[in-house]
PDB file of all heavy atoms in Angstrom:
ATOM      1  N   GLU X  58      45.566   3.340   2.800  1.00 96.00           N
ATOM      2  CA  GLU X  58      46.500   3.774   1.755  1.00 96.00           C
ATOM      3  C   GLU X  58      47.536   4.682   2.399  1.00 96.00           C
ATOM      4  O   GLU X  58      47.181   5.662   3.053  1.00 96.00           O
ATOM      5  CB  GLU X  58      45.758   4.533   0.653  1.00 96.00           C
ATOM      6  CG  GLU X  58      46.664   5.085  -0.416  1.00 96.00           C
ATOM      7  CD  GLU X  58      45.927   5.963  -1.419  1.00 96.00           C
ATOM      8  OE1 GLU X  58      44.807   6.422  -1.131  1.00 96.00           O
ATOM      9  OE2 GLU X  58      46.499   6.199  -2.492  1.00 96.00           O
ATOM     10  N   LEU X  59      48.790   4.335   2.241  1.00 97.00           N
ATOM     11  CA  LEU X  59      49.882   5.200   2.674  1.00 97.00           C
ATOM     12  C   LEU X  59      50.436   5.855   1.421  1.00 97.00           C
ATOM     13  O   LEU X  59      50.698   5.177   0.424  1.00 97.00           O
ATOM     14  CB  LEU X  59      50.970   4.378   3.364  1.00 97.00           C
ATOM     15  CG  LEU X  59      50.539   3.536   4.555  1.00 97.00           C
ATOM     16  CD1 LEU X  59      51.690   2.657   5.030  1.00 97.00           C
ATOM     17  CD2 LEU X  59      50.016   4.406   5.682  1.00 97.00           C
ATOM     18  N   LEU X  60      50.599   7.173   1.426  1.00 94.00           N
ATOM     19  CA  LEU X  60      51.138   7.822   0.249  1.00 94.00           C
ATOM     20  C   LEU X  60      52.027   8.989   0.624  1.00 94.00           C
ATOM     21  O   LEU X  60      51.866   9.594   1.683  1.00 94.00           O
ATOM     22  CB  LEU X  60      50.053   8.264  -0.730  1.00 94.00           C
ATOM     23  CG  LEU X  60      49.021   9.249  -0.258  1.00 94.00           C
ATOM     24  CD1 LEU X  60      48.784  10.278  -1.328  1.00 94.00           C
ATOM     25  CD2 LEU X  60      47.740   8.506  -0.004  1.00 94.00           C
ATOM     26  N   THR X  61      52.983   9.231  -0.248  1.00 94.00           N
ATOM     27  CA  THR X  61      53.897  10.344  -0.079  1.00 94.00           C
ATOM     28  C   THR X  61      54.100  11.005  -1.437  1.00 94.00           C
ATOM     29  O   THR X  61      54.110  10.324  -2.466  1.00 94.00           O
ATOM     30  CB  THR X  61      55.243   9.879   0.525  1.00 94.00           C
ATOM     31  OG1 THR X  61      56.024  11.022   0.865  1.00 94.00           O
ATOM     32  CG2 THR X  61      56.019   8.959  -0.398  1.00 94.00           C
ATOM     33  N   TYR X  62      54.175  12.317  -1.439  1.00 90.00           N
ATOM     34  CA  TYR X  62      54.422  13.022  -2.702  1.00 90.00           C
ATOM     35  C   TYR X  62      55.322  14.225  -2.434  1.00 90.00           C
ATOM     36  O   TYR X  62      54.915  15.382  -2.523  1.00 90.00           O
ATOM     37  CB  TYR X  62      53.125  13.411  -3.426  1.00 90.00           C
ATOM     38  CG  TYR X  62      51.980  13.845  -2.563  1.00 90.00           C
ATOM     39  CD1 TYR X  62      51.779  15.188  -2.254  1.00 90.00           C
ATOM     40  CD2 TYR X  62      51.073  12.916  -2.078  1.00 90.00           C
ATOM     41  CE1 TYR X  62      50.725  15.586  -1.466  1.00 90.00           C
ATOM     42  CE2 TYR X  62      50.010  13.312  -1.298  1.00 90.00           C
ATOM     43  CZ  TYR X  62      49.835  14.639  -0.991  1.00 90.00           C
ATOM     44  OH  TYR X  62      48.781  15.040  -0.208  1.00 90.00           O
ATOM     45  N   PRO X  63      56.610  13.922  -2.116  1.00 89.00           N
ATOM     46  CA  PRO X  63      57.544  15.015  -1.825  1.00 89.00           C
ATOM     47  C   PRO X  63      57.797  15.933  -3.012  1.00 89.00           C
ATOM     48  O   PRO X  63      58.181  17.084  -2.824  1.00 89.00           O
ATOM     49  CB  PRO X  63      58.826  14.269  -1.409  1.00 89.00           C
ATOM     50  CG  PRO X  63      58.710  12.925  -2.051  1.00 89.00           C
ATOM     51  CD  PRO X  63      57.236  12.610  -2.043  1.00 89.00           C
ATOM     52  N   SER X  64      57.551  15.451  -4.231  1.00 86.00           N
ATOM     53  CA  SER X  64      57.738  16.289  -5.417  1.00 86.00           C
ATOM     54  C   SER X  64      56.481  17.050  -5.803  1.00 86.00           C
ATOM     55  O   SER X  64      56.452  17.734  -6.815  1.00 86.00           O
ATOM     56  CB  SER X  64      58.204  15.427  -6.598  1.00 86.00           C
ATOM     57  OG  SER X  64      59.487  14.917  -6.341  1.00 86.00           O
ATOM     58  N   GLY X  65      55.422  16.903  -5.004  1.00 80.00           N
ATOM     59  CA  GLY X  65      54.185  17.619  -5.265  1.00 80.00           C
ATOM     60  C   GLY X  65      53.276  16.903  -6.252  1.00 80.00           C
ATOM     61  O   GLY X  65      53.590  15.833  -6.752  1.00 80.00           O
ATOM     62  N   ILE X  66      52.143  17.526  -6.504  1.00 80.00           N
ATOM     63  CA  ILE X  66      51.137  17.006  -7.422  1.00 80.00           C
ATOM     64  C   ILE X  66      50.808  18.100  -8.416  1.00 80.00           C
ATOM     65  O   ILE X  66      50.571  19.245  -8.039  1.00 80.00           O
ATOM     66  CB  ILE X  66      49.859  16.582  -6.665  1.00 80.00           C
ATOM     67  CG1 ILE X  66      50.191  15.473  -5.669  1.00 80.00           C
ATOM     68  CG2 ILE X  66      48.786  16.120  -7.633  1.00 80.00           C
ATOM     69  CD1 ILE X  66      49.040  15.112  -4.761  1.00 80.00           C
ATOM     70  N   ASP X  67      50.781  17.756  -9.685  1.00 75.00           N
ATOM     71  CA  ASP X  67      50.529  18.726 -10.742  1.00 75.00           C
ATOM     72  C   ASP X  67      49.044  18.714 -11.112  1.00 75.00           C
ATOM     73  O   ASP X  67      48.652  18.172 -12.138  1.00 75.00           O
ATOM     74  CB  ASP X  67      51.395  18.395 -11.955  1.00 75.00           C
ATOM     75  CG  ASP X  67      51.304  19.456 -13.035  1.00 75.00           C
ATOM     76  OD1 ASP X  67      50.925  20.601 -12.718  1.00 75.00           O
ATOM     77  OD2 ASP X  67      51.606  19.128 -14.195  1.00 75.00           O
ATOM     78  N   LEU X  68      48.214  19.309 -10.252  1.00 73.00           N
ATOM     79  CA  LEU X  68      46.783  19.373 -10.537  1.00 73.00           C
ATOM     80  C   LEU X  68      46.505  20.463 -11.559  1.00 73.00           C
ATOM     81  O   LEU X  68      47.152  21.512 -11.547  1.00 73.00           O
ATOM     82  CB  LEU X  68      45.997  19.668  -9.255  1.00 73.00           C
ATOM     83  CG  LEU X  68      45.994  18.560  -8.204  1.00 73.00           C
ATOM     84  CD1 LEU X  68      45.293  19.043  -6.942  1.00 73.00           C
ATOM     85  CD2 LEU X  68      45.319  17.313  -8.722  1.00 73.00           C
ATOM     86  N   PRO X  69      45.538  20.234 -12.460  1.00 71.00           N
ATOM     87  CA  PRO X  69      45.197  21.275 -13.432  1.00 71.00           C
ATOM     88  C   PRO X  69      44.638  22.506 -12.729  1.00 71.00           C
ATOM     89  O   PRO X  69      44.076  22.415 -11.637  1.00 71.00           O
ATOM     90  CB  PRO X  69      44.144  20.604 -14.318  1.00 71.00           C
ATOM     91  CG  PRO X  69      43.664  19.423 -13.570  1.00 71.00           C
ATOM     92  CD  PRO X  69      44.731  19.038 -12.589  1.00 71.00           C
ATOM     93  N   GLY X  70      44.819  23.659 -13.366  1.00 69.00           N
ATOM     94  CA  GLY X  70      44.361  24.912 -12.774  1.00 69.00           C
ATOM     95  C   GLY X  70      42.871  24.975 -12.534  1.00 69.00           C
ATOM     96  O   GLY X  70      42.407  25.722 -11.673  1.00 69.00           O
ATOM     97  N   ASP X  71      42.078  24.170 -13.265  1.00 70.00           N
ATOM     98  CA  ASP X  71      40.622  24.202 -13.089  1.00 70.00           C
ATOM     99  C   ASP X  71      40.121  23.028 -12.244  1.00 70.00           C
ATOM    100  O   ASP X  71      38.950  22.684 -12.297  1.00 70.00           O
ATOM    101  CB  ASP X  71      39.931  24.198 -14.453  1.00 70.00           C
ATOM    102  CG  ASP X  71      40.247  22.954 -15.272  1.00 70.00           C
ATOM    103  OD1 ASP X  71      41.182  22.209 -14.913  1.00 70.00           O
ATOM    104  OD2 ASP X  71      39.553  22.726 -16.276  1.00 70.00           O
ATOM    105  N   ALA X  72      41.014  22.431 -11.460  1.00 66.00           N
ATOM    106  CA  ALA X  72      40.603  21.305 -10.603  1.00 66.00           C
ATOM    107  C   ALA X  72      39.515  21.778  -9.643  1.00 66.00           C
ATOM    108  O   ALA X  72      39.601  22.878  -9.091  1.00 66.00           O
ATOM    109  CB  ALA X  72      41.798  20.768  -9.832  1.00 66.00           C
ATOM    110  N   PRO X  73      38.460  20.959  -9.432  1.00 65.00           N
ATOM    111  CA  PRO X  73      37.353  21.377  -8.577  1.00 65.00           C
ATOM    112  C   PRO X  73      37.746  21.507  -7.107  1.00 65.00           C
ATOM    113  O   PRO X  73      37.098  22.221  -6.354  1.00 65.00           O
ATOM    114  CB  PRO X  73      36.316  20.267  -8.763  1.00 65.00           C
ATOM    115  CG  PRO X  73      37.096  19.091  -9.257  1.00 65.00           C
ATOM    116  CD  PRO X  73      38.265  19.649 -10.006  1.00 65.00           C
ATOM    117  N   ALA X  74      38.800  20.826  -6.693  1.00 66.00           N
ATOM    118  CA  ALA X  74      39.247  20.908  -5.308  1.00 66.00           C
ATOM    119  C   ALA X  74      40.734  20.583  -5.268  1.00 66.00           C
ATOM    120  O   ALA X  74      41.256  19.914  -6.149  1.00 66.00           O
ATOM    121  CB  ALA X  74      38.475  19.916  -4.439  1.00 66.00           C
ATOM    122  N   THR X  75      41.408  21.087  -4.271  1.00 67.00           N
ATOM    123  CA  THR X  75      42.818  20.769  -4.104  1.00 67.00           C
ATOM    124  C   THR X  75      42.972  19.740  -2.997  1.00 67.00           C
ATOM    125  O   THR X  75      42.130  19.641  -2.112  1.00 67.00           O
ATOM    126  CB  THR X  75      43.637  22.023  -3.750  1.00 67.00           C
ATOM    127  OG1 THR X  75      43.113  22.580  -2.555  1.00 67.00           O
ATOM    128  CG2 THR X  75      43.582  23.040  -4.873  1.00 67.00           C
TER     129      THR X  75
END
Side-chain angles (χ1 to χ4, degrees):
E58 176 186 18
L59 304 173
L60 60 137
T61 189
Y62 37 92
S64 294
I66 299 173
D67 187 21
L68 292 175
D71 61 347
T75 58

